[in-house]
């Protein structure tokens, strides 16, 4: 491992060598004793949040409201914010972490699971850590090589590495203390979420449900890295016990909700917990936000039978033992990638005149849930976006959705265009809650998606690529300018201020594109949010009036934090483009396709005078696609292979977003041998582009080239007038 600045190296498999303290699945321990003074201080900060000088957890404190009590920056002076300092980062990939600040030091994770520490007031770099994740691991990630943050506990800092390791660092030096591999490295698991520390245990989940894994969360001893407990969120394929905390609930009730027929026995069922893990300090419970099934298609996954516990659920566990307490399933038998992994907020709300401990949740499926966290009972479920068509609402007596039968496309045999689609009405981007206004601020979006069960052989389960159990080719936009224009118009964003007390939107701000950043709110009557079009804004928390609008030159997808050093309040965030939307959206990215991708940390203060450097000059590339080759059948075969294996990283219809290479202007497109060297021979595997020889032949790769050449020529003839044929 290395501790350094400026390294671009992606060193090989040495990163998978485990530290001597790596625990086996059966090497559980009961605990490591009482907390030392530094750990007690961390626990106190996480429980209360303190006076706002620190931002000790990615959600501020255990309640994860992302609300700061600071008022130095407020609705009267926020327009005077300027840049205090900024720092350019090395990897132009998604930067999704919320900066954590403790005692004047900022800790932030970056793409490829790198971590850095900075003097929070001056921007002086203190140390940087690179876990050296092998580049070829990128193919195991559905949604970019991102990382959503670190956890600070005593003298340690914890980060989950993309290749499945949980790593403890010395927070003063950045040197590794211990590392443990949390997943089976032979399977397509990843870690992109932030760990949480509870009672001297580090909790971490994983991702990979799109490809086919079985989800779980594990608690590790913070001092040694040894396992305390594990809770599986999908059943054992043989419905046997694993010696895990989840055994009893699956054996008694959970297994019966999964059919004995279905592909889940091969795929693992999914249900990964790739983001939301929240600790309830009042009830000593942990809440897991559980993800989608694998395959998505309930008909293929579980023969269309059973609710499939615990997919798309909020699950409550005993914090000490990991044992099941209750769960609420938001989307039973989910079939549309409607994850429940979105951030969970803990609060207190009056219900029928009495104070109730509640949790707030706004998952992908478009409904805002208020749940009694003492027992998991649904209090309310109301839409926070318009146009939802998979369900008309929820039956509050049963807690179940009132579904539109047409949404179950595997039963009707007909295509279904769902609102929301798999991108969700709200994706991973953090929301926030202001107890003074009683409003929750949600980075919402409108991204429809078509679902079609009419699969060809390519759509069946494969070793590489998404395994959704539905047609990938059938979801590609047709070669029609009107369809492309409609896709852009239908894909929008919105900042929603939702009132859980009334179940209605109090105010909203519309954006021209989806994939806008997370939110943060303060006692200064402010809500902060960055946008995918490169603006950083502040709004009045009570009315939604815009009070600040700064040009940050690049997209913003993370959520900001705020803190105080030396009596001065600061606001910190990162800029970048990244995540699944710019990877896969194609033309639907709209105006965001012209926005540069500049990875930076930016810190603001009242009266800040630092200026960002001018954007580098850009020169329009000559639009000179190679001559078309191949038969119509070969181009069609290439389209099918592109949709199956390439679209999720290089865009619908091969239209890029200025993030990963736009293949329509690839330097290898005119050269069959160069193209083959990348796709079949793996010439760029260290950059994440592995060989696809396991799932396609050289002839298949050549067919993809024929299709992309076709796309390039079609773009020249039909889209050049848009001014953004290259995805820039």
């Amino acid at each position: 491992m290395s501790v350094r600045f400026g390294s671009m190296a992606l060193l090989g498999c040495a990163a998978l060598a485990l530290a001597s303290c790596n625990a086996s699945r059966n090497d559980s321990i009961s605990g490591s004793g009482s907390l030392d003074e530094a750990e007690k201080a961390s626990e106190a900060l996480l429980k209360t949040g303190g006076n706002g000088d620190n931002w000790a957890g990615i959600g501020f404190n255990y309640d994860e409201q992302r609300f700061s009590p600071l008022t130095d920056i407020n609705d009267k002076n926020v327009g005077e914010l300027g840049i205090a300092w900024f720092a350019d980062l090395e990897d132009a990939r998604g930067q999704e972490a919320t900066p954590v600040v403790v005692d004047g030091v900022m800790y932030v994770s970056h793409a490829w699971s790198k971590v850095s520490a900075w003097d929070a007031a001056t921007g002086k770099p203190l140390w940087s850590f690179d876990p050296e994740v092998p580049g070829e691991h990128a193919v195991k990630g559905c949604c970019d090589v991102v990382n959503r943050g670190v956890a600070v506990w005593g003298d340690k800092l914890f980060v989950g590495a993309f290749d499945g390791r949980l790593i403890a660092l010395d927070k003063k030096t950045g040197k590794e203390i211990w590392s443990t591999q949390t997943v089976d490295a032979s399977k397509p698991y990843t870690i992109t979420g932030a760990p949480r520390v509870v009672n001297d245990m580090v909790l971490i989940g994983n991702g990979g449900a799109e490809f086919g894994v079985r989800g779980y969360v594990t608690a590790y001893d913070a001092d040694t890295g040894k396992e305390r407990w594990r809770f599986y969120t999908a059943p054992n394929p043989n419905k046997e016990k694993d010696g895990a905390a989840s055994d009893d609930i699956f054996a008694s009730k959970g297994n019966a909700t999964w059919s004995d027929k279905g592909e889940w026995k091969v795929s693992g069922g999914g249900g990964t917990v790739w983001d939301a893990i929240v600790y309830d300090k009042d009830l000593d419970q942990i809440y897991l936000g559980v993800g989608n099934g694998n395959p998505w298609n309930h008909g293929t996954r579980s023969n269309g039978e059973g609710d499939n516990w615990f997919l798309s659920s909020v699950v409550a566990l005993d914090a000490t033992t990991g044992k099941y307490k209750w769960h609420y399933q938001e989307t039973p038998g989910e079939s549309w990638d409607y994850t429940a992994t979105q951030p969970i907020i803990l609060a207190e709300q009056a219900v029928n005149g009495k104070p109730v401990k509640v949790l707030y949740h706004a998952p992908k499926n478009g409904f805002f849930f208020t749940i009694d966290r003492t027992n998991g009972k649904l209090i309310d479920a109301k839409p926070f976006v318009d146009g939802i068509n998979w369900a008309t609402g929820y039956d509050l007596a049963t807690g179940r959705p009132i579904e539109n039968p047409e949404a179950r496309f595997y039963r009707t045999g007909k295509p279904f265009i769902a609102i929301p689609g798999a991108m969700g009405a709200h994706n991973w981007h953090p929301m926030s809650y202001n107890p003074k206004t009683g409003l929750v601020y949600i980075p919402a979006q409108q991204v429809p998606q078509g679902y079609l069960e009419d699969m060809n052989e390519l759509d069946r389960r494969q070793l590489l690529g998404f395994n959704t159990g539905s047609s990938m080719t059938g979801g590609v936009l047709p070669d029609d300018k009107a369809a492309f224009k409609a896709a852009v118009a239908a894909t929008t964003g919105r900042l929603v201020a939702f009132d859980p007390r009334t179940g209605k939107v109090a105010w909203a701000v519309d954006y021209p594109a989806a994939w806008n950043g997370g939110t943060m709110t303060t006692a200064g009557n402010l809500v902060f949010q960055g946008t995918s079009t490169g603006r950083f804004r502040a709004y009045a928390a009570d009315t939604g009036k815009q009070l600040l609008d700064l040009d940050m030159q690049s997209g913003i997808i993370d959520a900001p934090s705020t803190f105080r050093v030396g009596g001065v309040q600061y606001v910190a965030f990162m800029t970048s483009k990244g995540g699944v939307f710019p990877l896969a959206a194609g033309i639907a990215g709209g105006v965001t396709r012209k926005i540069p991708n500049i990875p930076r940390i930016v810190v603001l203060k009242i009266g800040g005078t630092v200026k960002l450097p001018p954007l580098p000059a850009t020169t329009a590339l000559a639009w000179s696609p190679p001559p078309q080759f191949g038969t119509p059948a070969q181009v069609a075969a290439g389209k099918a292979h592109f949709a199956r294996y390439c679209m999720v990283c290089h865009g619908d219809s091969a239209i890029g977003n200025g993030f990963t290479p736009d293949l329509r202007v690839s330097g290898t497109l005119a050269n069959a041998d160069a193209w083959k060297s990348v796709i079949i021979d793996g010439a760029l595997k260290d950059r994440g582009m592995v060989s696809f020889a396991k799932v396609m032949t050289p002839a298949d790769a050549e067919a993809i080239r024929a299709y992309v050449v076709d796309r390039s020529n079609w773009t020249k003839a039909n889209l050049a007038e848009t001014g953004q044929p290259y995805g820039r």
Side-chain angles (χ1 to χ4, degrees):
M1 306 305 161
S2 59
V3 180
R4 63 180 184 272
F5 275 94
S7 172
M8 297 294 291
L10 291 172
L11 302 182
C13 295
L16 296 177
L18 305 182
S20 60
C21 58
N22 185 11
S24 73
R25 278 281 298 114
N26 297 318
D27 189 16
S28 299
I29 62 174
S30 59
S32 59
S34 59
L35 303 183
D36 63 27
E37 291 305 311
E39 291 167 337
K40 289 178 181 177
S42 292
E43 183 178 58
L45 264 183
L46 289 171
K47 283 184 174 180
T48 67
N51 65 359
D53 285 355
N54 298 288
W55 189 281
I58 60 164
F60 183 67
N61 60 13
Y62 280 139
D63 292 339
E64 304 219 2
Q65 295 179 356
R66 294 179 181 263
F67 168 79
S68 170
L70 294 181
T71 59
D72 301 8
I73 302 171
N74 54 60
D75 55 1
K76 303 296 189 297
N77 63 8
V78 67
E80 301 171 26
L81 279 179
I83 298 175
W85 63 270
F86 72 89
D88 289 323
L89 304 174
E90 58 186 0
D91 295 302
R93 303 297 295 256
Q95 308 294 343
E96 297 188 355
T98 299
V100 169
V101 178
V102 178
D103 297 333
V105 178
M106 177 186 295
Y107 305 96
V108 62
S109 60
H110 316 293
W112 291 108
S113 318
K114 298 174 183 178
V115 184
S116 59
W118 309 77
D119 183 300
T122 68
K124 177 184 177 181
L126 303 178
W127 55 258
S128 184
F129 172 80
D130 182 355
E132 296 164 2
V133 174
E136 55 264 36
H137 249 78
V139 76
K140 295 185 177 184
C142 73
C143 311
D144 199 5
V145 291
V146 298
N147 191 281
R148 296 188 187 88
V150 300
V152 173
W153 184 255
D155 294 329
K156 300 183 185 68
L157 178 148
F158 302 95
V159 64
F162 191 76
D163 56 13
R165 288 171 290 159
L166 178 63
I167 302 170
L169 304 177
D170 184 309
K171 77 175 188 182
K172 293 182 180 179
T173 65
K175 292 182 178 179
E176 184 177 304
I177 298 172
W178 57 256
S179 172
T180 186
Q181 178 57 264
T182 72
V183 302
D184 181 343
S186 69
K187 295 180 179 180
Y189 282 105
T190 55
I191 294 178
T192 57
R196 270 69 164 191
V197 186
V198 176
N199 300 337
D200 213 26
M201 299 182 296
V202 191
L203 278 60
I204 195 69
N206 43 60
E210 279 66 40
F211 305 95
V213 296
R214 181 188 180 201
Y216 56 86
V217 167
T218 315
Y220 294 93
D221 184 271
D223 291 329
T224 66
K226 291 189 175 183
E227 183 180 321
R228 297 270 197 96
W229 53 257
R230 175 168 291 178
F231 187 94
Y232 285 99
T233 45
N236 180 292
N238 298 315
K239 296 189 174 179
E240 297 172 347
K241 293 189 175 183
D242 295 287
S246 48
D247 279 350
D248 290 345
I249 186 58
F250 271 114
S252 62
K253 294 181 179 179
N255 284 338
T257 69
W258 291 75
S259 172
D260 287 330
K261 301 176 182 178
E263 201 171 284
W264 73 271
K265 291 193 172 186
V266 176
S267 72
T272 51
V273 183
W274 49 263
D275 197 3
I277 304 173
V278 177
Y279 176 59
D280 187 333
K281 65 183 184 301
D282 300 323
L283 302 176
D284 199 28
Q285 306 186 141
I286 292 163
Y287 307 110
L288 312 179
V290 185
N292 55 283
N294 185 277
W296 294 352
N297 185 337
H298 184 225
T300 305
R301 181 179 69 245
S302 188
N303 202 37
E305 299 170 357
D307 286 346
N308 293 177
W309 289 11
F310 294 101
L311 303 183
S312 302
S313 299
V314 175
V315 180
L317 308 178
D318 180 275
T320 302
T321 65
K323 295 289 187 180
Y324 171 88
K325 300 193 76 171
W326 58 258
H327 82 283
Y328 174 70
Q329 190 166 38
E330 295 169 338
T331 313
E334 90 85 17
S335 213
W336 311 274
D337 189 22
Y338 285 167
T339 62
T341 50
Q342 286 58 52
I344 295 169
I345 287 173
L346 308 186
E348 190 169 281
Q349 178 182 317
V351 179
N352 297 324
K354 297 181 180 180
V356 177
K357 295 182 185 301
V358 298
L359 66 81
Y360 296 140
H361 201 218
K364 278 188 181 181
N365 73 18
F367 290 90
F368 186 99
F369 295 89
T370 303
I371 299 171
D372 185 330
R373 50 189 163 105
T374 67
N375 55 24
K377 179 179 174 56
L378 177 64
I379 295 172
D380 202 6
K382 291 293 191 297
F384 61 89
V385 293
D386 302 327
I388 298 171
N389 67 354
W390 73 274
T392 58
Y394 276 72
D395 182 329
L396 295 184
T398 64
R400 299 184 71 86
I402 305 167
E403 288 190 12
N404 172 5
E406 297 298 313
R408 296 281 175 182
F409 59 94
Y410 58 87
R411 290 177 182 158
T412 67
K414 300 177 183 178
F416 181 70
I417 299 176
I419 300 175
M423 295 285 182
H426 174 213
N427 207 283
W428 67 269
H429 311 82
M431 64 184 188
S432 57
Y433 168 68
N434 191 316
K436 292 184 175 292
T437 65
L439 302 179
V440 178
Y441 307 98
I442 309 168
Q445 57 191 19
Q446 185 83 288
V447 190
Q449 179 169 327
Y451 297 84
L452 178 66
E453 191 177 30
D454 185 18
M455 297 183 289
N456 59 37
E457 191 57 35
L458 272 180
D459 291 318
R460 309 294 176 186
R461 179 162 298 280
Q462 305 291 340
L463 293 174
L464 293 173
F466 281 27
N467 288 303
T468 66
S470 58
S471 173
M472 300 289 281
T473 307
V476 176
L477 283 173
D479 286 349
D480 180 86
K481 286 196 288 184
F484 277 39
K485 184 177 180 180
V488 173
T491 307
T492 58
R494 175 179 285 186
L495 171 59
V496 170
F498 190 87
D499 191 335
R501 299 161 298 187
T502 65
K504 296 180 180 180
V505 174
W507 57 259
V509 177
D510 290 327
Y511 294 136
W515 217 244
N516 299 290
T519 69
M520 179 265 290
T521 184
T522 76
N525 194 35
L526 295 172
V527 178
F528 292 93
Q529 183 186 28
T531 76
S532 58
T533 54
R535 316 302 298 190
F536 187 75
R537 290 176 174 165
Y539 302 91
D542 53 357
T543 66
K545 180 182 178 180
Q546 183 175 300
L547 304 173
L548 176 74
D549 182 21
L550 299 177
D551 181 4
M552 288 293 113
Q553 301 183 339
S554 180
I556 302 170
I557 53 177
D558 76 331
S561 60
T562 187
F563 54 92
R564 189 164 50 194
V565 179
V568 177
Q569 183 181 351
Y570 299 84
V571 176
F573 57 94
M574 291 194 286
T575 67
S576 76
K577 294 168 69 169
V580 68
F581 182 74
L583 284 173
I587 196 72
V591 294
T592 68
R593 296 174 56 239
K594 285 187 173 183
I595 303 300
N597 184 16
I598 303 173
R600 280 188 180 126
I601 300 173
V602 180
V603 178
L604 310 177
K605 69 176 181 179
I606 296 293
T609 58
V610 174
K611 302 297 182 183
L612 297 177
L615 287 170
T618 58
T619 302
L621 299 175
W623 192 251
S624 302
Q628 186 61 56
F629 72 93
T631 65
Q634 189 177 18
V635 173
K639 177 180 180 179
H641 278 82
F642 184 93
R644 183 66 178 83
Y645 299 114
C646 312
M647 181 173 66
V648 294
C649 285
H650 294 283
D652 184 290
S653 303
I655 296 176
N657 198 307
F659 177 50
T660 50
D662 189 322
L663 299 183
R664 297 170 302 163
V665 292
S666 169
T668 64
L669 191 56
N671 187 308
D673 290 338
W675 186 267
K676 173 181 173 294
S677 73
V678 174
I679 295 181
I680 300 298
D681 301 334
L684 299 179
K685 69 177 183 179
D686 61 329
R687 303 184 196 178
M689 179 60 204
V690 301
S691 166
F692 278 75
K694 292 180 180 179
V695 293
M696 68 176 72
T697 66
D700 296 331
E702 185 67 354
I704 295 175
R705 189 170 76 92
Y707 168 68
V708 177
V709 168
D710 172 79
R711 299 301 312 132
S712 189
N713 280 281
W714 188 89
T715 301
K716 181 179 181 180
N718 293 276
L719 297 183
E721 73 274 12
T722 66
Q724 49 176 334
Y726 302 98
R728 292 176 171 80

